[in-house]
């Protein structure tokens, strides 16, 4: 089915059929491969391919989400901006060769080659085309030039290439230009459309015969004829996803300018294609890559299509736009559905939630016979079929693997490494082939290019993946290998964990029900490390920790309750309770977990010991200091017995023990214990290690409390300088220890200086750790004490009230 067929379906079934967006969530059924190879019929071949659907939304968004000047700059084919040079050095995929004569040769002897319609489908043009203003202005200007040349509009399916062409066609028609809309989807469609162009121009019979017979010189004579006619015209070659079709004889590449596209074309020629590789199109052709809309443009499209949906702040439409990847086609289908009387969900937020919930199955039931659904499913498969024919059959498998991970977020080289090391040259060729077909975006990065997959493509590919656990298990293994050797508490590993985390969350989410038990257990081990790394992330929040822990618990359901990986998932869930200040729940939770860990893993196991530490921490947070002290002392004794005197877990427990001492007013004991631990850490760990920083910060606190604020300020100043360098100025640990330093400053009577620091850091602690985190509460408690000491009783009361809350 071609583009106008789809437009017709959408125009007549604007309600339930539009819910195709839901079908992209895990269960898109791809057409039988023989259907995906069906060529347009004579009644439809002159019309847009599936990319034309994107235009109906009025959403032919112009701007890439990357709004840098370089990303906006026009490209002349064959000339790349600086950021693309590294990618261009990748080995090139082979060129697809489909002879133009092949279609003719396959016809019965004497069978006539029919001309095909070439009228632009202007009835499908939306009322508003959003986001392509600059590009349309450039194209309009080219209409009046003596030698307008050729523009190639390239981008992924559904990005709105044909919409831009339709808008230009409407403008050209208003100006009195002759407009021809020719499908370049395959040789027969191109030939039939060009025959009709010649017929409308009363071309001589010998020229028509050359084109009909597939003469290699037909293109030369065609362009010479148009040059001689010297009339204002616009030729649109739509859906040219196999560029070889536009070569002189249908083989090789059109880059040499001797075929059906010419840099010096006498009439304005616009090509729409998914092939974005500049070298495919040759020098002089004006290549204009089309990207998805900005979030704001995409949200406007949704609001225009569904004006009855309440959205007073615009936040709901923006959230749905982001979920749909700001792809014009997806926006059109969602907006049209929400505006229809058949919609099950009546608002942007309801619809977004449905896409990510079990309700998607109800959506799919409405789409079982939708032609729109078929076309969307097929659009990416067409590109993959072309790569198959060019000798890159394994590009499909690589794309499916990439779709396992988080869409719209670069998949880092550390994840790609196992695939690359199988055959590096082949891997790079496959990447370039996928990028040239607009199925992925590549960005230079150390090692291998970082790869980004659009969410709609990812959702479509995932429909295949749920039926084949091999790819999912392979993807899980790639993530496990990428995390191997990373330390959850080492600040230098923080960027690596941040890069892996969204991809881990993707697999823990949609893929979890389809993983084998072995892969699920391995992925949970990565999850434990990622969970431990969250506190190194300056954007970490309690909600994020709880969401990750809940995803891990859901995956753990695939295992037996006593499986070690399932027990570790429970451990993370218990820690999330503490992070969110739910210590009353955490205490019984960890009592049960410690019992199970002792039974399954034994008294000596590190997770048994760590769970005991968390249990003591919950008791401490409930202000039962003497009880917590005894729990910590018992734990330290066992850690020294089972681990080592200076094992970092043993030392960490001693820091916690020091806290119980300090909270009971035994400041000198607390300071001495922290000083002992810090000395041990500095001899075994890096200065910037999170455990080192934690012990150092507590030493500053108890040194102040024992009556030595000058020494505390010296220690605190050095600590904060290290943290600002290693973690950043806005990291919550930096903020917390700045508050500790402020208390030392206030203890010397410099209240105004201390107040300024507290006023800066408390909002950061509220934002990252949350107002209920015990460290935020402690910092606010210190602030209240400083305000009271400075005679600011009203402010002190307000801060103490928040502490009580």
């Amino acid at each position: 089915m071609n583009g106008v067929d789809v437009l017709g379906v959408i125009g007549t079934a604007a309600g339930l059929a539009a819910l195709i967006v839901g079908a992209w969530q895990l269960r898109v059924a791809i057409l039988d491969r023989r259907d995906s190879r069906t060529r347009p019929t004579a009644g439809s071949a002159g019309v847009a391919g599936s990319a034309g659907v994107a235009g109906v939304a009025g959403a032919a968004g112009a701007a890439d989400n990357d709004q840098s000047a370089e990303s906006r700059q026009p490209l002349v084919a064959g000339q790349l901006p600086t950021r693309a040079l590294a990618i261009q050095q990748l080995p090139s995929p082979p060129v697809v060769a489909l002879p133009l004569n092949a279609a003719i040769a396959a016809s019965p002897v004497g069978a006539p080659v029919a001309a095909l319609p070439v009228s632009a489908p202007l009835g499908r043009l939306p009322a508003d085309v959003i986001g392509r203003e600059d590009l349309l202005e450039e194209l309009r200007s080219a209409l009046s030039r003596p030698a307008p040349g050729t523009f190639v509009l390239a981008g992924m399916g559904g990005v709105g290439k044909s919409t831009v062409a339709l808008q230009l066609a409407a403008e050209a028609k208003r100006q009195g230009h002759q407009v021809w809309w020719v499908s370049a989807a395959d040789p027969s469609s191109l030939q039939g459309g060009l025959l009709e162009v010649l017929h409308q121009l009363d071309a001589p019979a010998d020229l028509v015969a050359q084109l009909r017979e597939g003469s290699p010189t037909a293109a030369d004579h065609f362009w010479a004829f148009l040059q001689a006619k010297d009339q204002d015209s616009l030729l649109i070659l739509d859906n040219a996803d196999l560029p070889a079709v536009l070569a002189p004889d249908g083989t090789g590449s059109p880059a040499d300018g001797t075929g059906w596209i010419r840099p010096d074309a006498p009439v304005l020629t616009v090509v729409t294609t998914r092939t974005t590789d500049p070298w495919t199109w040759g020098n002089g052709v004006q290549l204009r890559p089309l990207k998805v809309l900005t979030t704001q443009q995409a949200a406007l499209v949704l609001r225009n299509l569904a004006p009855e949906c309440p959205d007073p702040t615009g936040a709901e439409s923006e959230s749905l736009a982001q979920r749909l990847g700001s792809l014009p086609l997806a926006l059109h289908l969602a907006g049209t559905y929400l505006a229809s009387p058949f919609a099950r969900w009546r608002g942007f937020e309801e619809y977004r939630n449905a896409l990510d919930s079990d309700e998607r199955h109800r959506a799919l039931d409405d789409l079982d016979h939708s032609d729109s659904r078929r076309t969307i499913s097929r659009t990416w498969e067409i590109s993959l079929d072309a790569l198959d024919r060019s000798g890159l059959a394994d590009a499909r498998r690589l794309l499916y693997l990439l779709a396992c991970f988080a869409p719209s977020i670069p998949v880092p080289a550390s994840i790609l490494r196992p695939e690359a090391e199988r055959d590096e040259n082949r891997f790079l060729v496959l990447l370039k082939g996928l990028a040239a077909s607009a199925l992925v975006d590549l960005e230079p990065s150390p090692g291998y290019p970082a790869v980004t997959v659009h969410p709609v493509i990812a959702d479509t590919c995932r429909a295949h993946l749920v039926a084949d656990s091999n790819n999912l298990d392979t993807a899980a293994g790639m993530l496990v290998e990428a995390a191997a050797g990373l330390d959850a508490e080492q600040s230098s590993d923080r960027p690596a964990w941040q890069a892996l985390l969204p991809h881990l969350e993707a697999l823990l989410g949609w893929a979890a029900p389809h993983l084998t038990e072995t892969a699920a257990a391995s992925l949970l081990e990565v999850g434990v490390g990622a969970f431990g790394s969250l506190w190194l992330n300056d954007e970490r929040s309690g909600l994020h920790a709880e969401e990750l822990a809940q995803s891990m618990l859901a995956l753990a359901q695939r295992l037996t309750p006593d499986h070690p990986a399932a027990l570790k998932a429970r451990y993370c869930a218990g820690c999330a309770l503490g992070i969110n200040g739910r210590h009353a729940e955490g205490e019984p939770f960890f009592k049960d977990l410690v019992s199970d860990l002792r039974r399954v893993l034994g008294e000596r196991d590190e997770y048994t010991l760590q769970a005991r530490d968390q249990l003591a921490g919950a008791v401490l947070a409930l202000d039962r200091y003497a009880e917590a002290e005894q729990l910590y002392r018992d734990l330290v004794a066992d850690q020294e017995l089972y681990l080592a005197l200076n094992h970092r877990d043993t030392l960490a427990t001693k820091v916690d023990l020091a806290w119980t001492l300090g909270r009971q007013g035994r400041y000198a004991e607390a300071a001495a214990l922290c000083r002992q631990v810090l000395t041990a850490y500095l001899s075994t760990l890096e200065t910037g290690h999170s455990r080192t920083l934690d012990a150092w910060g507590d030493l500053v606190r108890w040194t102040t409390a024992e009556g030595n604020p000058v020494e505390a300020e010296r220690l605190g100043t050095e600590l904060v300088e290290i943290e600002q360098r290693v973690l950043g100025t806005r990291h919550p640990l930096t903020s917390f220890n700045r508050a500790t330093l402020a208390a030392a400053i206030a203890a010397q009577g410099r209240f105004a200086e201390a107040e300024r620091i507290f006023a800066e850091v408390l909002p950061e602690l509220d934002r990252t750790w949350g107002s209920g985190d015990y460290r935020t509460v402690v910092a606010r408690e210190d602030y209240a004490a400083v305000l009271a000491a400075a005679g600011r009783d009203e402010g002190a009361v307000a801060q103490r009230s928040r502490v009580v809350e």
Side-chain angles (χ1 to χ4, degrees), residues 234 398 454 484 603 627 652 660 685 710 743 773:
L234 170 63
L398 179 57
H454 190 277
E603 188 70 57
E627 183 180 347
T660 67
L685 300 176
V710 175
D773 186 271

Side-chain angles (χ1 to χ4, degrees), residues 40 60 66 115 126 215 259 313 342 347 373 396 407 434 496 528 563 602 630 652 663-664 738 761:
D66 176 2
S215 168
T313 67
F342 308 104
R373 174 187 175 203
R396 188 183 307 271
L434 291 171
V528 172
H563 193 289
Q630 189 57 52
R663 297 299 280 183
Q664 296 176 76
R738 285 186 67 201
V761 301

Side-chain angles (χ1 to χ4, degrees), residues 343-664:
R344 295 179 188 266
W345 301 278
R346 306 305 305 180
F348 299 125
E349 188 67 14
E350 284 184 34
Y351 190 72
R352 186 189 65 79
N353 290 335
L355 293 179
D356 293 320
S357 73
D358 291 338
E359 291 185 285
R360 65 178 179 272
H361 300 297
R362 299 177 63 196
L364 291 168
D365 290 341
D366 292 334
L367 292 170
D368 282 342
H369 305 290
S370 167
D371 286 330
S372 293
R373 174 187 175 203
R374 288 183 163 194
T375 299
I376 298 309
S377 302
R378 195 169 64 209
T379 183
W380 322 122
E381 294 296 307
I382 293 171
S383 295
L384 291 170
D385 287 343
L387 292 173
D388 284 352
R389 289 191 291 269
S390 70
L392 299 181
D394 38 356
R396 188 183 307 271
R397 174 184 172 277
L398 179 57
L399 180 62
Y400 288 174
L401 272 180
L402 293 169
C404 294
F405 302 109
S408 299
I409 298 175
V411 180
S414 60
I415 291 179
L416 296 174
R417 190 173 297 113
E419 281 296 301
E421 289 178 349
R422 292 172 51 173
D423 184 341
E424 183 170 356
N425 189 65
R426 178 69 173 176
F427 171 74
L428 296 176
V429 169
L430 292 174
L431 278 187
K432 187 171 182 181
L434 291 171
S437 301
L439 293 169
V440 302
D441 288 327
L442 303 181
E443 291 289 339
S445 72
Y448 309 103
V451 186
T452 304
V453 182
H454 190 277
V456 174
I457 295 179
D459 287 343
T460 304
C461 292
R462 288 174 180 179
H464 299 272
L465 292 164
V466 296
D468 181 6
S469 63
N470 289 332
N471 275 324
L472 292 177
D473 283 7
T474 299
M478 293 165 67
L479 196 63
V480 169
E481 189 166 336
L486 295 181
D487 186 336
E489 300 174 348
Q490 181 59 53
S491 55
S492 59
D493 286 342
R494 174 187 173 208
W497 281 115
Q498 287 179 313
L500 294 182
L501 188 58
H503 303 294
L504 169 67
E505 291 172 325
L507 284 172
L508 287 174
W510 77 271
H514 312 288
L515 292 168
T516 62
E517 289 188 11
T518 300
S522 297
L523 203 60
L524 284 174
E525 295 287 352
V526 179
V528 172
F531 186 92
S533 76
L534 284 178
W535 84 313
L536 291 173
N537 184 347
D538 59 358
E539 295 300 324
R540 194 265 306 214
S541 68
L543 179 61
H544 190 183
E546 187 164 356
E547 288 175 346
L548 179 57
Q550 290 303 318
S551 296
M552 292 170 63
L553 280 180
L555 180 56
Q557 297 301 310
R558 303 292 309 281
L559 310 174
T560 62
D562 285 348
H563 193 289
L567 293 172
K568 293 174 186 178
R570 284 176 60 192
Y571 171 83
C572 292
C575 292
L577 293 175
I579 289 171
N580 286 285
R582 294 159 59 185
H583 306 294
E585 297 173 58
E587 182 184 1
F589 183 97
F590 275 110
K591 281 183 178 179
D592 290 342
L593 180 58
V594 167
S595 176
D596 289 340
L597 286 167
R598 280 173 163 154
R599 175 176 53 82
V600 176
L601 301 181
E603 188 70 57
R604 307 168 69 100
D605 185 80
E606 63 174 323
Y607 274 92
T608 304
L609 298 171
Q610 288 176 12
R612 289 174 60 188
D613 182 84
Q614 293 295 326
L615 173 60
V619 173
L620 169 62
L622 293 170
D623 295 341
R624 288 153 41 201
Y625 301 125
E627 183 180 347
E629 178 186 349
Q630 189 57 52
L631 289 172
Y632 279 130
R633 290 191 182 279
D634 293 342
L635 177 57
V636 168
D638 287 343
Q639 287 174 322
E640 291 180 339
L641 176 64
Y642 300 138
L643 301 176
L645 290 176
N646 281 343
H647 188 281
R648 66 183 190 177
D649 283 357
T650 308
L651 295 174
T653 303
K654 289 182 177 180
V655 173
D656 295 334
L657 173 59
W659 191 272
T660 67
L661 299 174
R663 297 299 280 183
Q664 296 176 76

Side-chain angles (χ1 to χ4, degrees), residues 13 15 64 67 75 117 124 170 173 208 238 289 379 417 443 495 530 541 548 562 606 703 760 783-784 796:
D64 188 347
Q67 291 295 302
L75 291 181
R124 310 304 180 191
K173 199 171 182 66
V208 174
D238 191 49
T379 183
R417 190 173 297 113
E443 291 289 339
S541 68
L548 179 57
D562 285 348
E606 63 174 323
T703 300
E760 291 175 358
Y783 186 28

Side-chain angles (χ1 to χ4, degrees), residues 74-79 138 145 148-154 246 254-258 260-265 269-271 273 275 277-289:
L75 291 181
V76 175
Q79 300 178 9
E138 181 184 20
R145 293 205 299 259
T150 298
F151 287 80
V152 176
L153 310 183
L246 298 175
D256 61 7
T258 63
W260 297 103
I261 59 171
R262 307 280 173 111
D264 58 351
T269 305
V270 175
V271 180
T273 179
T275 300
D277 184 4
W279 307 105
T280 297
W281 302 106
N283 289 321
V285 171
Q286 306 299 308
L287 178 62
R288 299 295 179 264

